[in-house]
């Protein structure tokens, strides 16, 4: 079982392809106001989680709220795929600008699990090929996360691991 001793003063990037379970994991381990979800921000600025041309407005709003929280010393969790280096760099820069630790929790599940979940979902109107592209980006990223600036990296590689992980807060 994976134990995650999470520093209280942290910006947590939940990293994983669509359907890897980021939102479910976030709801299980963090408070509603601690989690900033890109889907939620897309919906706030455009009326729907799926408006892809709302990405810029959604993410600039998300980063703005994250910055306001971090300047108060509030633990903040970003629930977005973050499979591309440029997306993660924004998060590392934001954490550094506020003197908090950037940490990564990666949900790297087998493709068969992701495909089955994607098939079962009615709320993700894109093709399964998107999952494959995101997973390729993710797998290329894994070894470099510490070098990118994440001070702690936890990688969860199976459904069982994700479901049994315990998160504790450490001062
Ligand atoms: P996106 O919002 O598309 O990026 O997905 P996500 O990574 O936030 O995944 P989400 O938490 O929305 O979960 C996707 C689906 O996977 C859910 O509808 C659940 O059915 C299933 N799921 C998520 N987490 C778990 C888990 O820990 N165990 C099991 N058995 N199923 C899960």
């Amino acid at each position: 079982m994976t134990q995650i001793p999470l520093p209280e003063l942290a910006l947590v990037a939940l990293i994983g392809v669509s359907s890897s379970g980021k939102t479910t994991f976030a709801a299980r381990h963090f408070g509603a106001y601690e989690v900033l979800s890109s889907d939620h921000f897309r919906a706030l600025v455009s009326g729907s989680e799926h408006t892809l041309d709302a990405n810029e407005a959604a993410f600039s709003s998300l980063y703005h709220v994250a910055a306001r929280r971090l300047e108060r010393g509030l633990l903040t969790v970003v629930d977005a795929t973050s499979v591309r280096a440029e997306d993660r760099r924004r998060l590392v820069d934001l954490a550094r600008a506020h003197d908090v630790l950037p940490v990564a929790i990666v949900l790297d599940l087998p493709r068969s699990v992701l495909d089955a979940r994607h098939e079962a979902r009615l709320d993700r109107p894109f093709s399964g090929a998107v999952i494959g592209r995101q997973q390729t980006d993710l797998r290329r990223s894994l070894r470099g996360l510490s070098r990118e600036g994440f001070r702690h990296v936890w990688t969860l590689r199976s459904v069982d691991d994700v479901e049994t992980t315990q998160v504790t807060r450490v001062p």
Side-chain angles (χ1 to χ4, degrees), residues 97-118:
H98 294 87
D99 259 338
V100 307
L101 291 180
V103 307
I105 301 177
V106 183
L107 278 60
D108 178 23
L109 295 189
R111 181 71 193 270
S112 54
V113 173
L114 300 169
D115 284 344
R117 285 185 185 173
H118 182 73

Side-chain angles (χ1 to χ4, degrees), residues 17-24 28 39 117 121 124 163:
V17 310
S18 179
S19 292
S20 57
K22 301 177 296 295
T23 303
T24 305
R28 192 178 293 147
D39 285 339
R117 285 185 185 173
R121 292 177 83 181
R124 288 295 176 268
E163 288 181 350

Side-chain angles (χ1 to χ4, degrees), residues 41-62:
F41 275 85
R42 258 195 302 276
L44 285 176
V45 300
S46 76
S48 159
E49 291 188 359
H50 309 303
T51 317
L52 290 183
D53 69 4
N55 260 345
E56 197 180 317
F59 275 94
S60 63
S61 307
L62 185 155

Side-chain angles (χ1 to χ4, degrees), residues 11 31 38 53 59-60 153-154 156 168:
L11 176 60
S38 55
D53 69 4
F59 275 94
S60 63
V153 178
W154 290 278
L156 310 175
T168 51

